[in-house]
Amino acid sequence: MYIGGMIGCKGDAYTGEGALSLEQAQAFHRWEINLFAKAGVDFLYAALIPSAEEAAGIARAAQETRIPYLISFTIRKDGCLIDGTPISEAIASINAITEYRPAGYMTNCVHPAIAYEALSQPCNSCEWVRSRFVGIQANTACLSYEELDHSKELKSSDPVELAEAMIKLREIVPLQIFGGCCGTDGRHMLEIAKRIGERGDQSPLIYKK
């Protein structure tokens, strides 16, 4: 069992409102990251990060601990973070300012079909996306953040459909982390595990938030 410390954005993960600059994010998130380090976590997980600047600031603060860390973005179909930065540029900017780089990059709270479309955009057709984008914590509903936010009903989908969409991502990125987010339950995670088992792959991490 690995124990992680989860870091969230300061503002709204779905709109980017209230996002921090690089310098602000490094200072704001450092206290939390240091508390996780003192507690002895195995890794750090920055989730639902809508802004490239805030993601970079978190990375700068996380690298000070030398604890492995993951950066997970909120993304759109057009291949960009919520703030309009292409995924490729966000990764490149973090790589450029860190010596101890993230263990990998992810996305969360999004359906894998949306992630597939985003990662297939020409702006993300580069080595540092194709080799470093390693995970997804998936929603079951193939809807935008605007459609899901404040919904009064749980939006879900068939476990088989979700599992197939998750596996399809491996056509374009080396997915190793398969997580469940909004709408998922044991049925979805078991179906994902089944699909991976059929492929004879024992390496991925499969988890439910």
Side-chain angles (χ1 to χ4, degrees), residues 18-36:
L20 302 175
S21 69
L22 189 157
E23 293 79 12
Q24 289 172 331
Q26 184 175 357
F28 178 82
H29 292 289
R30 181 183 281 125
W31 71 270
E32 179 182 23
I33 288 169
N34 286 340
L35 287 175
F36 282 135

Side-chain angles (χ1 to χ4, degrees), residues 149-201:
D149 204 12
H150 303 300
S151 174
K152 295 181 179 180
E153 297 178 356
L154 177 64
K155 307 294 184 181
S156 190
S157 63
D158 179 72
V160 172
E161 181 274 331
L162 182 69
E164 290 176 349
M166 294 277 268
I167 296 300
K168 184 177 173 63
L169 276 169
R170 282 192 153 184
E171 296 176 359
I172 54 174
V173 289
L175 213 65
Q176 293 294 307
I177 301 172
F178 297 78
C181 201
C182 303
T184 57
D185 57 35
R187 297 171 303 133
H188 297 89
M189 306 318 297
L190 285 172
E191 195 62 43
I192 293 167
K194 177 182 174 182
R195 288 289 189 278
I196 293 170
E198 289 172 352
R199 296 165 59 95
D201 192 334

